[in-house]
Amino acid sequence: GGGQLASGSYDGTVKLWDVNSGALLKTLQAQSSVNSVAFDGGGQLASGSYDGTVKLWDVNSGALLKTLQAQSSVNSVAFDGGGQLASGSSDGTVKLWDVNSGELLKTLQAGGIVWSVAFDGGGQLASGSSDGTVKLWDVNSGELLKTLQAGGIVWSVAFDGGGQLASGSYDGTVKLWDVNSGELLKTL
């Protein structure tokens, strides 16, 4: 929803806030510590929890639409904008889900603990793991395209929409990568 912010909490709640007024709009009961939240841009919200579940919520009504079983603590969730959702888990897997049916489409073996997942909007997915790697995946085939050595636990990955990927690591560095070549462009 426009003008809304979602927060996930250790107490098992997801809270929806009005960005302009700061008012609490809704409290959703996820039941287990919420590690990650993401909006799909079309009225749904996903939450990933310590208990290994991904929950899909209707933003307007607050209704729980689906519960997906990822089996291991879900540390990151992201929508691709085209009906798929990715979840990254502590067992080293990235799971791709069909948002409408709730069907598990693919399980990708990323290794380590997966702390972050992000889509580029053009058919690629990045995962960042505790083993110091950033992996680039083809969403359609599930093929591993590239493994980037970020060094240290990778907490966060994000695409810029222009062919670059950023990774944030435990060592305090942010690295900028060229998605096509896999080349490290800059360390900040």
Side-chain angles (χ1 to χ4, degrees), residues 61-78:
S61 69
L64 176 61
L65 303 173
K66 289 183 186 65
T67 299
L68 313 176
Q69 299 293 335
Q71 309 305 327
S72 175
S73 180
V74 178
N75 301 314
S76 184
V77 289

Side-chain angles (χ1 to χ4, degrees), residues 146-188:
K146 288 181 185 63
T147 299
L148 311 175
Q149 298 297 330
I153 299 166
V154 179
W155 292 117
S156 185
V157 291
F159 288 96
D160 76 342
Q164 291 185 14
L165 172 76
S167 63
S169 297
Y170 181 75
D171 64 5
T173 63
V174 174
K175 293 189 165 95
L176 296 177
W177 307 87
D178 181 290
V179 174
N180 295 319
S181 69
E183 178 189 358
L184 176 61
L185 302 174
K186 213 177 275 173
T187 300
L188 307 173

